Amino acid sequence: MEITRNSRLKDVIKTASGHDIIARLLYSLGMDLDAVRRTPLGLLKIGSLKRLSFGKLSDASVDALIEILNSLKDEDPGEDGTVRHEWWKEAVFYQVYPRSFRDSNADGVGDIPGIIEKLDYIKSLGVDAIWCSPFYDSPNADNGYDIRDYRKIMAEFGTLDDVRRLIDECHARGIRLIIDLVMNHTSDEHEWFRKALAGDEGYMDYYIWKDEPNNWTSFFSGPAWKYFPQTGRYALHLFADKQMDLNWDNPQVRREMYDIADFWLDLGADGFRLDVVSFISKADGLPDGDPTVGKLISFTGIEHYFHGPHLDEYLREFNREVLEPHGAYTVGECPGNGIRMSRMITGDDRGELSQLFSFDHIDNPGKKRFDVYDLDLRKMMPELLRWQTEYSDHCWPTIFFDNHDNPRMCSKIDHAGRYHDQINKLLATILLTMKGTPYIYQGSEIGMTDYPFTDLSQYRDIESLNYFDEQTGKGMTQKEAMQRLLYGSRDHARIPMQWDGTSAAGFSDAEPWIGVNPDHVTVNVADEYFDPDSVLNFYRYMIGLRKDHKKALIYGSFRRIDAGKDVLAFIREANERFTVVVNLTGGTAKRPKGISGDRIISNYSDPGSMLRPYEAEVYFSRI
Ligand code: NOJ
């Protein structure tokens, strides 16, 4: 379908790219796609986006948008009506951030032997698989997401033998291990880049160069281009200026990556989490981005690489060459791809990735990570629910609330901390009863919260530090910039795992590389382990429930019950029925009528006549 200025929004959203981009634009303007689907707004022509955006989108931006929409692919996966059963659809994953998990050698930094030490704990949660963030040799500009050597281990973390042992010890416990592979970029200290700088033309073509930079901006502030006097040209870095984007249009680069992936699968890894893999293909000619469209989606230029022209082709090649022969699982990090474009990447018959992470539910419509606000769960639901009902049975969602790139969800919802216990249990309830593969981030299972940062010197993350410099450089007061960091910094998720109430929370016998949250004296594994009311035991119960009732809770149907805007209620059903009722607010709310079955778990012990703040409950009945 050719989109023109006269196309109506309701028709534009019938295409995959139209659907996802319009949804994303509306989202960043504080609206939900349902507004276009269910109200007369859908009859408006695409040109009226200018008005809908309160003038943020100019006529030129609307034209740029139309051009982008017409250039993006629109394919849908096939639907043959059957649901394939796979181990990863039945698994619960646990993400480990090695730097902050457990320090075994008292240097203040977590390490691989530290993870091995804690495998019995991970097993005791009932999880089936671990995603381990990068552990490769790296100068650590971005905590290991800047890889210097893909076949070596970061010295602070241990050795290749330690990783071999980690794989074996995981397998001995029946736990699968997927590792984090960064294929979009390498460190500027990688030998390929060094050779490129030394004038080797073959290696120059491993990276992306321009004589004059375009206007793309980096995710970590400032322009996405760095000038290198050695070559007299600018090299692209979508992230830090030490993370150089690889040129995936060069078949040799793809071959190198496939060999690296083979190396790790041969060593015994069960698959990969692929870092920003949706960014690997960039539009031909690297055109300027439309400043408004890009910014509304996230960053200037992103429309030219979030689902680039060769993405599906390269993913299919990677799958054919590497994943398929090893029977490996993959979950891709795919920011910018909404539900319809994600179906193109994960459909059963597409031969690309097993699953992906999408991020729109992580912030409320109209809000960005550094905004100072309390997240409203009611506003999160339309996006989350769409993945339950519209992703189709041929794609399998991932479900997560926390990871290493976001503040803790319980803090985001309730910065004052009045209801953290209830909220953590509420999140566990949703995570483990919805359809899809749950990912638990280390520490969420004990209810870890944001760190009370008060000074810039306490931050470590390059994104936070660059953000502070950029914003204050543009005139923001230091006070406001500090407040925004406090709400959005990734460092909240990177503070040490809280094992006990001792001074470094049982993470290390030395001074940890980043502050330990003072709340570790009460929020920690040791104290929660035997406490029947702890967040930890709530998680364990919910994981056990999910595994004991696979038919209903994993493969069963998902049906929403109308319960008003403050309450989420849904049924998962096969041979048995689970009814989940959640008060999405910090006030009281009416329990929907006609809920039947036994109330088997809740974050409040006795059932009240009304739902109390953030009350979550699960009812069970045989059918
Ligand atoms: C996404 C990762 O999750 C994040 O931590 C990292 O900074 C960027 N990709 C760049 O690799």
Side-chain angles (χ1 to χ4, degrees):
M1 165 185 166
E2 177 76 13
I3 294 169
T4 66
R5 278 197 150 256
N6 286 328
S7 304
R8 296 192 189 278
L9 288 174
K10 72 176 180 35
D11 295 321
V12 175
I13 63 171
K14 285 184 186 149
T15 66
S17 54
H19 180 277
D20 287 3
I21 292 189
I22 299 295
R24 181 70 216 149
L25 290 180
L26 292 176
Y27 207 79
S28 60
L29 294 166
M31 284 178 265
D32 190 81
L33 184 68
D34 284 349
V36 167
R37 285 174 162 178
R38 307 225 168 99
T39 72
L41 276 186
L43 296 173
L44 294 176
K45 295 183 177 161
I46 192 166
S48 39
L49 276 176
K50 183 178 163 189
R51 242 183 319 126
L52 272 183
S53 73
F54 306 107
K56 279 191 190 157
L57 283 168
S58 62
D59 282 328
S61 295
V62 172
D63 288 339
L65 178 66
I66 292 171
E67 203 183 315
I68 297 157
L69 290 175
N70 283 323
S71 73
L72 287 167
K73 272 191 251 158
D74 181 29
E75 296 157 5
D76 260 332
E79 303 248 349
D80 66 3
T82 53
V83 178
R84 295 187 198 168
H85 287 211
E86 309 275 3
W87 72 263
W88 44 267
K89 293 185 179 174
E90 299 174 13
V92 175
F93 277 75
Y94 186 80
Q95 185 193 349
V96 170
Y97 194 70
R99 200 170 192 79
S100 308
F101 195 57
R102 163 77 187 138
D103 167 20
S104 73
N105 62 350
D107 62 358
V109 173
D111 47 47
I112 304 292
I115 304 174
I116 297 173
E117 217 180 274
K118 296 295 185 184
L119 283 180
D120 286 334
Y121 165 74
I122 297 178
K123 179 75 189 170
S124 79
L125 299 174
V127 304
D128 311 88
I130 293 174
W131 150 24
C132 189
S133 282
F135 44 54
Y136 318 91
D137 175 44
S138 159
N140 269 322
D142 183 21
N143 282 1
Y145 283 90
D146 48 322
I147 300 177
R148 183 163 48 200
D149 188 332
Y150 288 84
R151 293 180 178 83
K152 267 199 190 152
I153 307 303
M154 194 185 305
E156 290 169 309
F157 285 2
T159 63
L160 192 58
D161 271 342
D162 290 329
V163 174
R164 280 202 187 94
R165 209 154 53 82
L166 174 65
I167 294 173
D168 292 346
E169 294 286 339
C170 282
H171 290 167
R173 289 167 178 79
I175 297 174
R176 288 182 164 92
L177 177 71
I178 66 162
I179 63 175
D180 208 321
L181 194 57
V182 187
M183 308 203 297
N184 178 68
H185 45 265
T186 72
S187 164
D188 64 348
E189 296 184 26
H190 192 289
E191 69 161 334
W192 302 335
F193 196 74
R194 287 209 300 252
K195 286 184 179 163
L197 286 189
D200 184 323
E201 300 230 334
Y203 285 104
M204 280 277 280
D205 199 32
Y206 271 40
Y207 295 91
I208 301 174
W209 300 91
K210 243 179 170 307
D211 292 334
E212 288 302 324
N214 64 18
N215 68 351
W216 297 2
T217 51
S218 152
F219 280 69
F220 293 165
S221 304
W225 296 90
K226 179 172 177 186
Y227 181 71
F228 286 89
Q230 299 92 320
T231 62
R233 307 181 78 191
Y234 292 81
L236 179 67
H237 62 90
L238 292 179
F239 294 90
D241 65 2
K242 281 179 68 64
Q243 289 169 296
M244 315 318 299
D245 279 60
L246 285 163
N247 173 15
W248 269 68
D249 295 332
N250 178 347
Q252 252 170 295
V253 168
R254 307 207 294 276
R255 187 69 263 157
E256 297 265 18
M257 277 302 153
Y258 303 163
D259 288 348
I260 289 164
D262 270 332
F263 170 85
W264 287 102
L265 294 174
D266 289 342
L267 211 77
D270 296 287
F272 303 107
R273 178 264 188 187
L274 298 176
D275 190 67
V276 288
V277 70
S278 53
F279 293 176
I280 56 177
S281 165
K282 278 89 178 170
D284 292 341
L286 308 167
D288 272 344
D290 180 83
T292 324
V293 173
K295 251 197 220 140
L296 285 175
I297 299 177
S298 66
F299 289 91
T300 306
I302 191 168
E303 68 270 31
H304 296 304
Y305 59 78
F306 80 97
H307 194 123
H310 302 286
L311 175 67
D312 299 285
E313 173 192 331
Y314 295 157
L315 290 179
R316 232 168 268 154
E317 185 182 79
F318 181 48
N319 193 326
R320 206 173 47 238
E321 300 269 326
V322 182
L323 303 171
E324 179 85 47
H326 284 90
Y329 161 83
T330 45
V331 56
E333 187 194 25
C334 297
N337 284 270
I339 195 164
R340 291 281 304 279
M341 298 188 87
S342 296
R343 278 160 53 96
M344 287 162 56
I345 301 176
T346 59
D348 281 346
D349 65 350
R350 300 276 300 170
E352 298 184 26
L353 304 181
S354 319
Q355 294 193 281
L356 55 71
F357 293 121
S358 171
F359 298 91
D360 282 349
H361 66 288
I362 289 296
D363 275 298
N364 273 166
K367 300 293 181 193
K368 290 196 167 155
R369 179 148 51 81
F370 287 109
D371 288 346
V372 176
Y373 78 108
D374 276 351
L375 184 135
D376 185 337
L377 276 170
R378 291 171 296 190
K379 295 185 181 164
M380 178 202 277
M381 285 310 136
E383 177 66 16
L384 203 62
L385 288 166
R386 262 197 285 281
W387 290 79
Q388 295 293 299
T389 53
E390 295 177 24
Y391 200 31
S392 97
D393 284 338
H394 307 281
C395 303
W396 204 253
T398 55
I399 321 168
F400 68 96
F401 295 114
D402 287 324
N403 65 15
H404 64 293
D405 287 335
N406 284 283
R408 295 282 176 181
M409 187 54 81
C410 69
S411 297
K412 280 181 88 143
I413 295 169
D414 174 23
H415 284 91
R418 283 176 67 200
Y419 297 115
H420 278 175
D421 182 70
Q422 290 86 347
I423 293 171
N424 280 312
K425 292 172 180 169
L426 174 158
L427 294 172
T429 305
I430 297 179
L431 185 74
L432 291 152
T433 54
M434 275 194 172
K435 176 178 158 182
T437 303
Y439 272 77
I440 300 168
Y441 180 62
Q442 67 182 44
S444 299
E445 80 281 13
I446 54 170
M448 279 179 63
T449 64
D450 281 359
Y451 184 88
F453 291 105
T454 50
D455 195 273
L456 195 61
S457 64
Q458 296 165 326
Y459 289 97
R460 300 285 175 271
D461 182 21
I462 184 166
E463 183 205 46
S464 296
L465 299 173
N466 286 359
Y467 181 84
F468 183 88
D469 284 349
E470 180 171 71
Q471 298 305 322
T472 50
K474 282 184 187 161
M476 189 183 279
T477 63
Q478 296 210 352
K479 192 168 167 220
E480 189 186 342
M482 283 297 291
Q483 183 71 349
R484 291 178 70 82
L485 283 193
L486 188 61
Y487 273 68
S489 175
R490 306 191 298 180
D491 276 338
H492 287 299
R494 299 172 179 193
I495 57 173
M497 175 73 186
Q498 294 166 196
W499 296 104
D500 59 35
T502 61
S503 65
F507 163 71
S508 173
D509 293 333
E511 171 88 17
W513 67 279
I514 188 170
V516 174
N517 198 326
D519 75 3
H520 74 278
V521 292
T522 50
V523 178
N524 66 63
V525 173
D527 284 357
E528 293 188 33
Y529 206 81
F530 296 108
D531 171 0
D533 291 330
S534 65
V535 175
L536 177 57
N537 281 313
F538 196 93
Y539 262 90
R540 278 177 165 164
Y541 178 89
M542 290 305 302
I543 294 169
L545 189 71
R546 186 176 178 88
K547 299 176 80 84
D548 289 346
H549 300 273
K550 280 188 186 161
K551 273 197 182 157
L553 287 176
I554 291 171
Y555 293 113
S557 60
F558 177 95
R559 185 157 45 92
R560 203 163 165 209
I561 303 173
D562 188 12
K565 70 177 180 10
D566 293 346
V567 176
L568 167 72
F570 60 86
I571 291 177
R572 299 298 314 277
E573 186 175 290
N575 54 332
E576 304 161 324
R577 173 183 302 148
F578 289 88
T579 307
V580 179
V581 178
V582 177
N583 177 2
L584 301 167
T585 74
T588 50
K590 271 197 193 141
R591 184 177 282 103
K593 290 208 177 78
I595 303 291
S596 59
D598 297 332
R599 185 175 182 268
I600 53 170
I601 185 158
S602 167
N603 50 2
Y604 286 82
S605 51
D606 55 316
S609 54
M610 295 283 279
L611 291 170
R612 285 148 292 184
Y614 298 110
E615 184 156 356
E617 46 188 23
V618 180
Y619 294 83
F620 171 74
S621 50
R622 289 182 204 288
I623 49 175

